[in-house]
Amino acid sequence: MWSLPLFLLLAPVARAVTLYNIEGAVPTTVSGVTPTYTGFIAFDPATLTPPALPTPAPTNAFNIAIHAAPPAGLSIKQNGSFFGFSIEFSLLTQILGTNSSILQVPFLNLMANIRDRCGAVHIRVGGNTQEYSTLVDSLPDGEILSKSISAVNNPTLTPEILFTEEIIYMMANISALVNVYWFMGVPFNDTANWRLGIIEKGDAILGDYLVGIQAGNEPDLYAKHGHRPVDYTPQDYSDDFGLLVKAIAADPLITKPNQLIGPSLSGSWTPESVWNTGFATTYADDLSALAMERYPTDNCQARYGASDPNTTYHDPAVEFVTYMTHQAAINLLKTYTNSTAYAQSINKPFLMFETNTASCGGFTGISDAFAASLWALDYSFQLAYSNFSVAMFHTSGQNVSYNPFTPPPGSQSYYHQWTVSPIYYAALVAAEFFGMSNVTQITDFFGADPNMLHTPAYAAYENGNFVRLALFNYMDDPTGNSDYTATVSVGGSQTGEGPVTPASVQVKYLLAPSVASKSNITWANQTFGNYYESDGRLQGTEYTETVQCDTNANTCQIKVPAPGFAMVFFSDTALSESDDNGAAQQTFATTVQTQTINTVTFAPDTLATSNGGRDRASYRGSTSPQSGAARMVPGAVAVLAAAMGALFLVGRAL
C-alpha cells in the first residue's frame, strides 16, 4: 500500500473556483423549427421535421449470409479506442477540471464508460486555439489557462491562449484514472520563434500517454484566414514543417522526435498535393502518423453571418435528409482511398484528427438529434473500413450543436448537471463494436448497393472469427411499417462454408422515438437522461435481448426498428467484452458546484473498485514537482479519497 505524507492527508478539499469566461447565449432560429429559442445553442430543445420515407420503400425483409472465416477485403486491424474525441484547447478547464487536483467527475465517468468497453480512450486537445497558445510559468490568481481576444489580430478572432504546465498535469491525472491517451498540437503561427514548451512538458509529464503532436491545424486554410500569404502552397507547408523538425532536433529537452502528425488538411488542398512534395517520405523519421480533418459540410454563414462571400447558407431542414443514408459516409471518404493505401505503403497510421456533423458548430436539429448517433456510428465504421486508424469527434463550447457532451454554464452547476448528446451514444456503441481485442477487422456488408443505403450493415472479425454484426435503420416511421427483419446466417451454402450459426445470439439496441429526437435515447435500455441530467453514468437497467436461432435452417432473425440500430453478438466472449468481462465498472459520484465548494467525491461503494479492473495496475499519474510527489498511482488516489471523502488529487495548491 502506498503511504502519503501526513500534510497531504490534511490538505483542505474546499477550493476557490475559477468561473469560466463563457460567451453569452447566441440567439438561434432554425428553418422549420418552432418555437424560436434564444439560449445557449448546446441546450436548444427545438427539433426538425424528420425526412420523408424513401420511395420506393426499401424491403423490410432480407438475408445476410456471413462468412464464418474472414473474407477478402477486410479493414486493417483496429484498436478498440478507434472512436475518440477532439477538445478545443481553450475549453480544457471547463471540460477536464479546475486543475490537476480537482477534476470534472462527469468527464471521468464518460471516459470510464468508454475505457470499460474497449480498454482506452484517445483524445486530441487542440483546434484553432492551439495555434495561438503559449506555455507560461504562471498566471494571475492561480489560473492555469486564460484566453484573450483583445491582443489578437486574425480574421477568425481565434483567442490568444496562455496556459501553465498544470494543464498537462491535469491530463496526466485523468490518464491515471481512466486510461486516456492524448494528442496535442505545437503552435504553428510563428515559424521564426517556435514555442516548443508544450512538447517538452508533454513528453516529461505525460510520458507514453502522449501519443502524437500535431504540426499545423488545417494549413490549407491558413491563407484564407490571414495566417499566411495568399499564395501559401503545400510546398510552403512542407518547408515550414522542416523548420519545426530542425528546431525539435536542436532542443535537448525533447526526447521523442518521431511523434509529429501532419498535414491535417481540411479539404481545400487534396492530400495528393502534399504527398507530391515528398512530405511523407522526407520526414518519415519524424512523423508518427498522417492525418486529415474533415466535416461533410459547414454552418458558417448561419454562425458568423453572410459577410464572407466564400460561405454558403445551408438550411438544416434541407440538409437533414443527406445525413440519413449510408451514401453520406461513402461519399465523404472517397477522397482518401488513395491516401490510406499510401499511408500503409510507408507504414504510417492514417488518422481523422477532427470531424463532426458540420463545421462552425453543426446544425441545430441534426447534430444534437438521434440522427447524429446513427450518422456518426455509420461514418466511424466507414472510416475504420477505409483504413483510418483513429477518428476524433470535436467538441467545443456551449454555443455549438455538435458536442458529444457539455458541462452546464458555470453559474448553473449548482442546480444543473452535464448534458450528454447523441454523438456520445455513438462513441459508446462503437467502443463495444470494436471491443477489447485491438485486432478487430470490419467489412461494409452491402457497400454502395443502392437498395440498401437506408439499411447498411457491418460485420466484425477478431483473430480469424466472426464476432459481431451491426445493423442500421435510417428510416423514421412510427407506424412500424419500416421496421425490418434481417435473416442472418453464419457459414452455409451461400458462403461455401459449413453452417455455424449459433443456437442463440444476444442483441443490444440503440433507440429513440425519431431521428429528430433529442431525448429518450437509449442504449440497451440505459440512458444519460435529457438536458442537464447526467453525471456521466448510465441510468436504468441494462437489457440485452436473447434471440433464439434455427440451427436446422442455419438462420437467426433480427428485427431493427425504424429508426434504430442493433448490435448482434455471436458469442458469449464477444458480449462479455462489452462489460469488461463482467468486472465491476469504475464510476465516480460528484458534488461539483462551481458556485459553492468545488469537490469531487467518491460514493463509498466505488472506492472498492477504484484501484481494480483491467489494466489499472499500470496506470500512471502526475503531479507538479512542487507538491513533493513527482508521480502518483491510483492507489494513492484511492487512499486520499478514502481519507478525505473527495477525489482530491495531489497537486499544486492554487
Side-chain angles (χ1 to χ4, degrees), residues 31 40 48 90 109 193 213 218 264 286 346 358 392 417 443 488 515 547 556 577 603:
S31 174
F40 288 105
L48 290 168
S90 60
N109 283 333
N193 301 283
I213 297 290
E218 299 178 328
S264 303
D286 308 288
I346 60 173
M392 288 175 283
Q417 297 192 78
T443 185
V488 182
V515 294
V547 174
C556 297
E577 286 186 9

Side-chain angles (χ1 to χ4, degrees), residues 96-159:
L96 303 189
T98 304
N99 52 50
S100 67
S101 302
I102 303 175
L103 307 179
Q104 284 276 21
V105 163
F107 178 78
L108 292 178
N109 283 333
L110 291 168
M111 297 306 103
N113 296 334
I114 304 294
R115 185 274 321 275
D116 286 341
R117 287 161 171 79
C118 66
V121 188
H122 278 112
I123 298 179
R124 172 266 192 135
V125 295
N128 289 332
T129 50
Q130 79 187 27
E131 305 283 44
Y132 290 88
S133 61
T134 301
L135 177 66
V136 296
D137 291 335
S138 63
L139 289 168
D141 302 319
E143 288 187 315
I144 67 173
L145 184 149
S146 69
K147 56 184 177 179
S148 172
I149 291 181
S150 61
V152 170
N153 181 24
N154 65 80
T156 56
L157 293 181
T158 301

Side-chain angles (χ1 to χ4, degrees), residues 3 18 24 45 77 97 128 169 176 235 255 345 351 394 471 479 484 496 522 529 543 553 569-570 613 645:
S3 61
T18 300
K77 294 177 180 179
N128 289 332
Y169 282 112
Q235 184 62 59
T255 57
S345 74
L351 316 180
H394 199 52
L471 300 172
T479 70
Y484 71 77
T522 60
Y543 176 70
F569 300 85
F570 280 80

Side-chain angles (χ1 to χ4, degrees), residues 130-134 185-190 194-196 198 214 216 244:
Q130 79 187 27
E131 305 283 44
Y132 290 88
S133 61
T134 301
V186 63
F188 214 75
N189 68 322
D190 186 353
W194 293 102
R195 303 191 297 283
L196 303 180
I198 192 168
Q214 184 185 32
L244 174 61

Side-chain angles (χ1 to χ4, degrees), residues 326-327 330-331 334 382 444-453:
H326 185 52
Q327 195 68 51
I330 293 174
N331 289 345
K334 285 180 179 178
Q382 192 66 205
D444 179 356
F445 191 82
F446 295 117
D449 184 337
N451 297 313
M452 308 303 293
L453 294 178

Side-chain angles (χ1 to χ4, degrees), residues 333-365:
L333 297 178
K334 285 180 179 178
T335 303
Y336 305 112
T337 302
N338 293 335
S339 293
T340 55
Y342 175 63
Q344 291 176 68
S345 74
I346 60 173
N347 199 31
K348 298 294 181 186
F350 200 75
L351 316 180
M352 181 55 73
F353 218 62
E354 178 182 322
T355 190
N356 212 306
T357 47
S359 61
C360 296
F363 295 113
T364 298

Side-chain angles (χ1 to χ4, degrees), residues 181-504:
Y181 289 83
W182 305 92
F183 297 93
M184 302 179 75
V186 63
F188 214 75
N189 68 322
D190 186 353
T191 58
N193 301 283
W194 293 102
R195 303 191 297 283
L196 303 180
I198 192 168
I199 307 179
E200 297 168 355
K201 294 297 183 181
D203 283 347
I205 297 169
L206 291 171
D208 291 341
Y209 282 120
L210 178 62
V211 291
I213 297 290
Q214 184 185 32
N217 182 67
E218 299 178 328
D220 51 337
L221 295 180
Y222 282 171
K224 179 181 178 181
H225 293 163
H227 301 161
R228 291 291 195 279
V230 293
D231 58 351
Y232 191 71
T233 67
Q235 184 62 59
D236 293 327
Y237 167 73
S238 184
D239 293 343
D240 285 347
F241 190 95
L243 295 176
L244 174 61
V245 167
K246 291 179 180 179
I248 289 174
D251 188 334
L253 298 179
I254 298 177
T255 57
K256 294 193 299 183
N258 59 337
Q259 58 184 328
L260 297 180
I261 294 172
S264 303
L265 305 181
S266 72
S268 294
W269 295 343
T270 65
E272 289 79 7
S273 68
V274 177
W275 313 148
N276 290 341
T277 69
F279 169 80
T281 51
T282 300
Y283 305 115
D285 292 338
D286 308 288
L287 285 162
S288 64
L290 305 178
M292 296 289 146
E293 300 182 15
R294 188 68 181 271
Y295 293 79
T297 186
D298 71 83
N299 194 30
C300 297
Q301 189 174 111
R303 179 75 186 266
Y304 298 113
S307 58
D308 185 347
N310 296 315
T311 62
T312 301
Y313 175 66
H314 299 284
D315 186 341
V318 175
E319 296 291 330
F320 202 166
V321 68
T322 67
Y323 289 84
M324 296 291 92
T325 169
H326 185 52
Q327 195 68 51
I330 293 174
N331 289 345
L332 191 57
L333 297 178
K334 285 180 179 178
T335 303
Y336 305 112
T337 302
N338 293 335
S339 293
T340 55
Y342 175 63
Q344 291 176 68
S345 74
I346 60 173
N347 199 31
K348 298 294 181 186
F350 200 75
L351 316 180
M352 181 55 73
F353 218 62
E354 178 182 322
T355 190
N356 212 306
T357 47
S359 61
C360 296
F363 295 113
T364 298
I366 300 174
S367 305
D368 52 358
F370 184 58
S373 294
L374 297 177
W375 172 85
L377 261 182
D378 191 4
Y379 179 39
S380 66
F381 292 172
Q382 192 66 205
L383 281 160
Y385 176 61
S386 301
N387 294 326
F388 284 75
S389 292
V390 173
M392 288 175 283
F393 286 73
H394 199 52
T395 187
S396 192
Q398 287 151 352
N399 274 324
V400 302
S401 300
Y402 58 34
N403 290 340
F405 38 77
T406 311
S411 61
Q412 297 180 21
S413 67
Y414 181 78
Y415 51 91
H416 279 158
Q417 297 192 78
W418 282 39
T419 297
V420 176
S421 300
I423 292 288
Y424 180 81
Y425 284 86
L428 192 71
V429 175
E432 294 198 23
F433 186 70
F434 290 109
M436 290 278 190
S437 71
N438 291 328
V439 293
T440 302
Q441 295 176 274
I442 73 171
T443 185
D444 179 356
F445 191 82
F446 295 117
D449 184 337
N451 297 313
M452 308 303 293
L453 294 178
H454 293 88
T455 55
Y458 294 86
Y461 292 80
E462 293 176 353
N463 298 311
N465 300 305
F466 169 61
V467 289
R468 286 178 288 273
L469 180 66
L471 300 172
F472 291 78
N473 191 338
Y474 274 120
M475 293 176 284
D476 192 294
D477 186 356
T479 70
N481 291 333
S482 299
D483 297 356
Y484 71 77
T485 299
T487 300
V488 182
S489 58
V490 185
S493 59
Q494 294 184 61
T495 65
E497 302 169 319
V500 291
T501 299
S504 64

